[in-house]
Amino acid sequence: LEVLRGRLVGLDGAEMTAEVDVIAREIARLDRVVKTFLNFTRPVELKLTMLDIGETLREIGQLVEEQAARNKVEMKVFTPEGRVAAWADPDLLKQALLNIVVNGIEAMPDGGPLYLRLLPVGEAIAVEVEDHGPGIPEEQQEKIFQLYFTTKKSGSGIGLAVAYQAVQLMGGTLAVRSQAGYGTLFRIVLPGARMEDSATP
């Protein structure tokens, strides 16, 4: 809705329809993710596909654009040329990344750059989300992926726990590196990467 609100002025009918379609797709994705994680003890039905990870990162950059702008945060998305794909569940990966990215935006009340990077790592790929907020104290870093643990006054303590479980279910890893006063870097590594040159048909 924030995306639509920011772009309604001056749009023609076709463009408005496209924006509404984006919202409809996101609602459907959120509905599935919420139902999947309402009960952490139930088996999760994965829908793995060879997913274009670069395209997923660009979509996330667009989805958080309005929220980032309100917080004076500049989204910087870096992806290699060509198609970089890996086995992943599109809905769960997008939700995991959104949770981490939104955390990063909220961690920078004074604004600044937030980096979203895609890096090939041998036969795997890494996705990094790096903010320039106050960082996470060392004694809290072991707890941030625990369900209901939060350092925010209004936080639920669910976002990073959902992200951690989603990445594990896809056979990946999620790690954090942070230093007080210097920001935080989250790193997701997913196996089974496939790199295709931009000229590949």
Side-chain angles (χ1 to χ4, degrees):
L1 289 177
E2 290 295 341
V3 172
L4 183 60
R5 183 178 294 128
R7 299 184 182 181
L8 271 177
V9 178
L11 293 182
D12 61 28
E15 288 176 319
M16 289 177 66
T17 299
E19 296 292 348
V20 172
D21 287 345
V22 169
I23 292 174
R25 288 197 301 271
E26 287 304 300
I27 289 173
R29 178 184 60 77
L30 283 168
D31 180 62
R32 182 194 165 214
V33 170
V34 169
K35 287 176 179 175
T36 297
F37 287 109
L38 273 175
N39 188 334
F40 272 61
T41 63
R42 292 178 183 170
V44 175
E45 181 184 350
L46 284 176
K47 297 181 179 178
L48 293 176
T49 183
M50 186 54 72
L51 182 66
D52 187 334
I53 308 297
E55 180 60 28
T56 299
L57 265 60
R58 290 186 286 271
E59 288 177 6
I60 288 170
Q62 293 173 347
L63 287 171
V64 301
E65 184 178 15
E66 297 295 329
Q67 181 178 357
R70 289 198 309 272
N71 286 43
K72 300 179 182 178
V73 171
E74 183 182 3
M75 289 294 305
K76 294 182 176 291
V77 181
F78 295 97
T79 60
E81 291 187 9
R83 185 174 185 268
V84 180
W87 287 105
D89 182 304
D91 292 347
L92 297 188
L93 179 61
K94 184 180 282 188
Q95 189 62 49
L97 287 170
L98 276 171
N99 289 354
I100 296 170
V101 168
V102 169
N103 266 16
I105 292 172
E106 294 176 347
M108 294 191 290
D110 298 324
L114 190 149
Y115 297 92
L116 186 55
R117 294 184 286 257
L118 174 58
L119 307 167
V121 183
E123 296 182 354
I125 59 101
V127 178
E128 295 183 342
V129 181
E130 182 178 8
D131 68 57
H132 287 79
I136 303 169
E138 187 174 353
E139 66 273 12
Q140 294 181 355
Q141 291 180 28
E142 295 181 357
K143 303 176 183 177
I144 60 171
F145 298 124
Q146 295 176 8
L147 187 60
Y148 305 130
F149 176 82
T150 181
T151 59
K152 303 176 186 176
K153 291 182 179 179
S154 59
S156 65
I158 294 176
L160 289 179
V162 165
Y164 188 79
Q165 187 184 33
V167 172
Q168 282 198 320
L169 286 168
M170 291 181 285
T173 61
L174 171 56
V176 62
R177 187 175 74 234
S178 185
Q179 185 176 355
Y182 292 94
T184 301
L185 184 144
F186 286 91
R187 194 171 203 250
I188 293 173
V189 177
L190 295 174
R194 179 186 299 165
M195 288 71 172
E196 298 174 1
D197 188 87
S198 56
T200 301

